[in-house]
Amino acid sequence: MKPVTLATERLVLRPFEPSDAPAVHAACQEPDIPRWTSVPSPYGIEDAEHFVGTVVPEGWRDDTTYNFAVVSRADGSLVGAMGLVRLDRLHTPERQAELGYWTAKEHRGRGCTVEAARAVVRWGFDALGVERLEWHAEAGNEGSRAVARKLGFHMEGTLRAKTVHEGTRRDVWIGSLLPSDLPDLSGQARESGERAPAGRAGTRRPDATPYLPYPG
């Protein structure tokens, strides 16, 4: 996959660059990020350099993860990281991906994460053909769940002992979002300066897999 850039009213979402390493390192010193995500702890500058210089470009090249740096249009500061991960089922009949994100502490509470996520969600549905988008978070991560709810994710339950964090098995919350769950978000996300294709709730791609919900 050739990396793309998305834009919203306040933000630019672009692939990470080597020059982002100091900002990534600084953001990941805040305890909540290593507590609730899989970033190493303690998080050194070498970890940040490896992430922006190796992990991100290899993810785009190998179609395993599409990670974006979320950057403020106003001052160029790093707001956070946002991406589609676990893409091994994107090009299978499941046509599935997972949304992941973290936000620098100083940018929380301003709606930036939701704004960025809407751009990535729309891009995933419209451009990539995602038919089921999942959200996972360790049980107890209320901040991440609040973002997912605002995006329209349906909370589907708790996966017991799903993840291992610091040598202990932890429960994981799971939610899902389908293209039909979205309102019309056209104009909120633009790729490389262009408006995203218009889309309305219930609109289906011509090649979409039929969905038969259980009526019970």
Side-chain angles (χ1 to χ4, degrees):
M1 177 67 161
K2 183 179 179 180
V4 303
T5 296
L6 308 175
T8 70
E9 182 179 355
R10 296 182 294 171
L11 307 166
V12 173
L13 289 77
R14 57 164 176 75
F16 280 92
E17 302 169 351
S19 60
D20 294 317
V24 171
H25 175 251
C28 291
Q29 302 311 299
E30 197 276 315
D32 279 349
I33 293 179
R35 170 61 188 89
W36 296 113
T37 74
S38 60
V39 305
S41 180
Y43 194 84
I45 186 63
E46 299 84 1
D47 296 307
E49 290 170 347
H50 177 68
F51 175 69
V52 302
T54 301
V55 174
V56 171
E58 287 185 352
W60 284 95
R61 184 195 66 201
D62 299 337
D63 293 318
T64 55
T65 57
Y66 299 151
N67 279 309
F68 295 93
V70 181
V71 178
S72 168
R73 291 169 69 107
D75 60 12
S77 61
L78 181 68
V79 174
M82 178 82 56
L84 297 180
V85 302
R86 297 188 174 93
L87 298 178
D88 54 300
R89 288 183 287 176
L90 177 59
H91 300 295
T92 67
E94 285 81 2
R95 298 174 76 163
Q96 186 169 303
E98 180 183 330
L99 180 70
Y101 43 83
W102 57 256
T103 306
K105 183 177 182 179
E106 61 270 22
H107 291 284
R108 295 174 192 166
R110 303 176 184 176
C112 292
T113 309
V114 172
E115 182 176 328
R118 283 178 177 150
V120 174
V121 165
R122 176 56 69 189
W123 175 68
F125 286 153
D126 286 346
L128 303 182
V130 174
E131 293 186 352
R132 174 182 163 90
L133 187 61
E134 290 190 347
W135 160 86
H136 292 187
E138 184 183 324
N141 191 345
E142 297 289 356
S144 182
R145 183 164 68 171
V147 170
R149 287 186 181 278
K150 289 178 182 177
L151 291 168
F153 276 84
H154 290 234
M155 297 297 111
E156 296 182 334
T158 301
L159 305 176
R160 298 188 303 156
K162 171 68 173 176
T163 191
V164 176
H165 184 79
E166 296 182 346
T168 302
R169 286 202 168 274
R170 316 283 179 119
D171 295 341
V172 167
W173 286 332
I174 181 172
S176 71
L177 190 68
L178 308 181
S180 57
D181 293 329
L182 294 184
D184 183 1
L185 297 180
S186 60
Q188 291 193 12
R190 300 187 300 277
E191 179 177 337
S192 301
E194 298 297 328
R195 286 195 174 273
R200 299 184 184 277
T203 298
R204 296 175 65 249
R205 291 166 54 105
D207 61 346
T209 308
Y211 172 39
L212 181 63
Y214 179 64

